[in-house]
């Protein structure tokens, strides 16, 4: 790690300072009347760093050191029960996913959250320095800088996010109430209070952001199970490369060109045996010409089958906007990039799996509820998590949340939005936000919330283009050229115009709209309401 890590940090700092200097120069033209595309390019320069270095070189260097040291702490993080019994994060995540012993879950949750305690003072200093950088570029604070990337005033953007959450909250409340009741049946009402919040360590994930790992605890009683994609892939002996081939064929069925030969030679599909690599899936466009690649350690599972489609969404997007000027090669906004492949993955329906020969016969309609519940435990449970995370950071950057209240404010937001509670008393000696990668590495998060909304909106729009009239969750646009043309128009536009125009041009809708999620889950909502009848909803 040592020497190599240092070079990496130095390169990062040099890059950040150069980018900041371009952005500072771009400020000189703010008062001029400029053509829209030029104005847009200058804004892109100012927004290209999630934490711009402050004007003072000594502070710029300090910011760079803090940033790389927090990332390194996270990357090195492990929980040592005894000096020679240490758990890596993958092992801790496995315990959270599979253990059903509250004491073991609590121990693992606490163990991982200890890795962040030492980041706390550095994070407070990081906020001061990054804010100085944002002010140097003309923004009130870093949060305002992040919110400036959505082609609307930063305050309207906050109102927009709240409006979407208002559309979604009733659905989340029903899911929360149902899951809480089923967990109380497993763990007892002394552990899970019937009308209260759910202790976060019981939800199958370190951060309570995805509840699919506890599906077995909340599965509908005596209901036929939904399709098991993992089993289908294994039965048909599909390997990692084969999974990517299925993904590519989905995009080509919509009218896109197949991936270049270099993609198959230069991508990483499996974990190398001889060295450590970051396994978190990512998609790369190395030269803006055609050197597209993915970097993954694919497992042959249904979950990674979806991730493959997600990562390829980035690659097909990257290739589609290569014709745009360099600074406008990007998503219509950052949420579009995350949403494309996920929207495609919504078409991986049982009907689709049958069409491509992985599934012999369709499951009975009675298993639809089980399928929708499984999806909701991932997609719906995630929404308030993402919202609370960036609301915390917006408050921290604006100074509304002071370092003396970092942890209390974090849990206040989790209580309010997610209805989840800390499993053991916390204090300001803790720094629980830092136990999440995106806080330690300063990666904005609200785009993931918006991407969840947009992916269902795209899916609904493509299904309409395809003339689909059945339930939204049964629609697959595989092989549909009308849907493909809509997608191609959206991808080729890159970041060249305000996203509202790109969205309207491709789908006919000008704003983000969470009713598509409500439509998609309609049968599940009705079922959940029946299950929750006469039981407490909310906390």
């Amino acid at each position: 790690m040592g020497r190599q890590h240092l070079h990496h940090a130095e390169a990062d700092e040099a890059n950040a300072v150069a980018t900041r200097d371009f952005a500072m120069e771009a400020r000189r033209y703010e008062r001029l009347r400029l053509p829209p595309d030029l104005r847009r390019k200058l804004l892109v320069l100012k927004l290209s760093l999630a934490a711009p270095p402050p004007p003072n070189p000594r502070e710029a260097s300090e910011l760079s050191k803090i940033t790389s040291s927090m990332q390194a702490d996270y990357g090195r993080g492990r929980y040592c029960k005894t000096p020679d019994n240490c758990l890596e994060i993958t092992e801790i995540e496995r315990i959270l996913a599979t253990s059903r012993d509250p004491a073991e879950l609590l121990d693992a949750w606490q163990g991982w959250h200890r890795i962040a305690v030492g980041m706390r003072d550095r994070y407070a200093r990081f906020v001061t320095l990054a804010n100085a950088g944002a002010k140097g570029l003309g923004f009130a604070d870093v949060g305002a800088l992040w919110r400036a990337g959505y082609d609307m005033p930063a305050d309207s953007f906050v109102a927009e996010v709240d409006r979407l959450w208002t559309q979604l909250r009733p659905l989340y409340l029903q899911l929360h109430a149902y899951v809480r009741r089923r967990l109380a049946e497993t763990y007892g009402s002394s552990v899970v209070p019937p009308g209260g919040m759910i202790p976060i360590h019981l939800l199958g994930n370190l951060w309570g952001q995805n509840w699919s790992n506890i599906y077995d605890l909340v599965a509908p009683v005596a209901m036929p199970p939904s399709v098991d994609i993992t089993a289908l892939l294994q039965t048909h002996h599909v390997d990692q490369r084969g999974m990517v081939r299925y993904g590519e064929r989905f995009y080509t069925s919509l009218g896109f060109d197949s991936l270049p030969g270099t993609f198959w030679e230069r991508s990483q599909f499996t974990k190398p045996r001889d060295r450590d690599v970051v396994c978190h899936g990512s998609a790369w466009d190395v030269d803006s010409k055609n050197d597209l690649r993915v970097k993954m350690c694919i497992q042959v599972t249904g979950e990674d089958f979806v991730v493959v489609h997600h990562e390829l969404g980035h690659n097909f997007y990257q290739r589609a906007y290569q014709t745009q000027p360099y600074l406008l090669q990007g998503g219509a906004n950052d949420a579009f990039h995350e949403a494309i492949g996920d929207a495609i993955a919504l078409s991986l329906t049982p009907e689709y799996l049958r069409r491509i020969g992985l599934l012999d016969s369709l499951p009975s309609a009675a298993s639809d509820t089980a399928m929708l519940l499984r999806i909701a435990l991932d997609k719906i449970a995630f929404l308030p998590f993402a919202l609370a995370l960036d609301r915390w950071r917006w408050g921290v950057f604006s100074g509304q949340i002071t370092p003396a209240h970092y942890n209390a404010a974090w849990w206040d937001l989790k209580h309010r939005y997610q209805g989840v509670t800390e499993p053991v008393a916390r204090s300001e000696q803790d720094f629980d936000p830092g136990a999440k990668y995106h806080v330690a590495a300063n990666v904005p998060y609200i785009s993931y919330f918006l991407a969840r909304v947009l992916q269902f909106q795209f899916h609904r729009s493509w299904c309409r283009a395809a003339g689909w009239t059945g339930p939204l969750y049964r629609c697959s646009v595989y092989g549909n050229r009308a849907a493909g043309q809509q997608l191609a128009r959206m991808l080729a536009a890159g970041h060249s115009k305000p996203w509202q125009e790109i969205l309207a041009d491709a789908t006919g809708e000008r704003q983000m709209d969470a009713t598509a999620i409500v439509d998609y889950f309609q049968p599940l909502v009705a079922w959940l309401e029946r299950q929750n009848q006469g039981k407490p909803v909310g906390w």
Side-chain angles (χ1 to χ4, degrees):
M1 192 77 187
R3 196 66 211 134
Q4 192 183 352
H5 178 67
L6 202 65
H7 284 311
H8 184 67
E10 284 163 9
D12 276 351
E13 184 184 338
N15 177 51
V17 168
T19 307
R20 177 205 61 200
D21 293 344
F22 284 133
M24 295 292 275
E25 285 180 48
R27 285 206 68 189
R28 290 163 47 200
Y29 307 100
E30 272 169 8
R31 291 191 177 79
L32 297 183
R33 295 191 52 179
L34 301 169
D37 64 323
L38 185 55
R39 193 165 202 82
R40 201 163 178 76
K41 289 177 189 173
L42 293 175
L43 179 66
V44 167
L45 273 176
K46 288 196 290 189
L47 301 182
S48 46
L49 297 170
N56 172 329
R58 204 183 64 250
E59 292 187 339
S61 180
E62 187 189 354
L63 176 68
S64 165
K65 286 192 182 65
I66 290 178
T67 326
S68 54
S69 75
M70 290 194 300
Q71 281 200 43
D73 279 6
Y74 188 95
R76 276 195 300 264
R78 46 177 62 81
Y79 164 37
C80 297
K81 296 182 178 223
T82 64
D84 42 351
N85 175 18
C86 290
L87 302 179
E88 302 276 345
I89 185 165
T90 41
E91 185 54 28
I92 297 172
E93 288 196 88
R94 200 191 55 76
I95 294 170
L96 265 288
T98 56
S99 170
R100 300 300 180 240
D101 169 5
E104 185 183 16
L105 291 167
L106 177 61
D107 178 63
W109 186 91
Q110 276 185 282
W112 176 252
H113 280 73
R114 278 191 202 112
I115 68 137
V117 172
M119 286 179 207
R120 190 186 169 107
D121 294 341
R122 262 175 299 158
Y123 191 82
R125 179 69 181 147
F126 159 80
V127 170
T128 305
L129 294 169
N131 273 343
K135 285 193 184 74
L137 297 180
F139 297 94
D141 60 70
V142 173
L145 174 124
W146 289 2
R147 297 191 297 278
Y150 294 97
D151 301 302
M152 57 171 80
D155 298 348
S156 325
F157 178 69
V158 178
E160 187 68 353
V161 168
D162 285 341
R163 176 182 66 79
L164 295 167
W165 178 237
T166 307
Q167 289 179 312
L168 293 162
R169 192 164 178 268
L171 172 48
Y172 178 72
L173 286 178
Q174 294 296 330
L175 181 70
H176 178 281
Y178 172 74
V179 167
R180 173 177 59 196
R181 181 168 59 83
R182 297 298 303 272
L183 287 177
E185 286 165 13
T186 303
Y187 294 114
S189 54
S190 59
V191 179
V192 183
M197 294 189 269
I198 303 173
I200 198 167
H201 63 307
L202 304 177
L203 290 165
N205 167 281
L206 262 175
W207 307 277
Q209 70 182 72
N210 176 337
W211 305 352
S212 4
N213 290 321
I214 57 163
Y215 178 78
D216 59 310
L217 296 182
V218 303
V221 184
M223 184 175 281
S226 58
V227 174
D228 179 351
I229 297 183
T230 303
L232 295 179
L233 293 169
Q234 288 167 356
T235 309
H236 288 86
H237 306 293
V238 179
D239 65 1
Q240 287 89 344
R241 193 169 279 260
M243 287 165 68
V244 184
R245 286 281 180 202
Y246 274 117
E248 179 192 38
R249 272 200 294 277
F250 200 113
Y251 289 90
T252 56
S253 83
L254 298 173
F256 291 92
D257 288 342
S258 50
L259 290 161
T262 50
F263 171 89
W264 300 99
E265 293 155 21
R266 298 172 181 172
S267 287
Q268 175 195 300
F269 300 129
T270 52
K271 188 174 174 154
R273 298 223 169 109
D274 57 343
R275 62 189 188 279
D276 280 338
V277 295
V278 174
C279 275
H280 190 81
S282 52
W284 300 78
D285 165 19
V286 177
D287 59 3
S288 292
K289 292 193 179 57
N290 226 2
D291 189 352
L292 304 163
R293 317 177 189 182
V294 295
K295 178 165 176 273
M296 289 180 69
C297 310
I298 302 173
Q299 314 277 327
V300 181
T301 63
E303 190 182 344
D304 272 5
F305 195 54
V306 169
V307 176
V308 162
H309 290 76
H310 172 90
E311 297 304 341
L312 290 182
H314 291 302
N315 285 142
F316 280 92
Y317 209 159
Q318 287 159 344
R319 186 170 66 183
Y321 56 56
Q322 274 170 8
T323 53
Q324 295 289 349
Y326 179 74
L327 287 170
L328 302 178
Q329 291 177 16
N333 65 37
D334 53 5
F336 275 63
H337 236 301
E338 296 301 326
I340 300 297
D342 284 353
I344 293 288
L346 292 174
S347 277
L348 307 180
T349 58
E351 176 56 49
Y352 162 75
L353 296 168
R354 188 177 70 172
R355 272 184 69 186
I356 62 170
L358 284 178
L359 184 66
D360 298 334
S361 59
L362 292 177
S364 69
S367 73
D368 286 356
T369 303
M371 179 184 82
L372 287 171
L373 179 61
R374 203 181 268 280
I375 298 171
L377 289 170
D378 164 18
K379 308 270 187 186
I380 304 299
F382 176 83
L383 294 161
F385 167 81
L387 210 50
L389 196 157
D390 266 7
R391 282 237 153 211
W392 182 79
R393 285 194 293 192
W394 294 347
V396 164
F397 287 128
S398 76
Q400 275 179 301
I401 297 172
T402 59
H405 300 102
Y406 274 174
N407 221 55
W410 172 256
W411 285 104
D412 282 346
L413 286 159
K414 292 177 97 60
H415 297 166
R416 191 165 115 216
Y417 285 105
Q418 290 178 276
V420 299
T421 178
E422 54 277 41
V424 61
R426 310 305 280 164
S427 76
E428 295 304 330
Q429 304 314 119
D430 298 301
F431 185 54
D432 295 330
K436 174 71 183 157
Y437 171 77
H438 298 72
V439 173
N442 194 47
V443 180
Y445 213 75
I446 203 68
S447 58
Y448 296 99
F449 171 85
L450 301 174
R452 285 292 199 277
V453 172
L454 284 167
Q455 63 188 255
F456 287 93
Q457 198 172 344
F458 295 163
H459 180 66
R460 179 170 69 181
S461 178
W462 302 338
C463 292
R464 283 175 181 162
W468 177 263
T469 52
L472 198 49
Y473 63 89
R474 282 204 201 146
C475 165
S476 177
V477 295
Y478 179 72
N480 189 277
R481 292 299 165 108
Q485 279 165 339
Q486 225 194 67
L487 175 57
R489 259 212 313 282
M490 193 155 72
L491 299 188
H495 190 60
S496 62
K497 295 188 293 236
W499 65 263
Q500 294 89 334
E501 286 174 37
I502 293 173
L503 185 65
D505 181 45
T507 67
E509 299 170 14
R510 269 200 73 83
Q511 60 171 182
M512 292 182 277
D513 179 11
T515 60
I517 298 190
V518 181
D519 288 358
Y520 184 96
F521 287 106
Q522 199 41 56
L524 178 69
V525 176
W527 183 84
L528 287 170
E529 283 170 349
R530 287 199 301 278
Q531 304 300 309
N532 293 334
Q533 225 167 355
K535 312 275 191 321
V537 173
W539 54 89

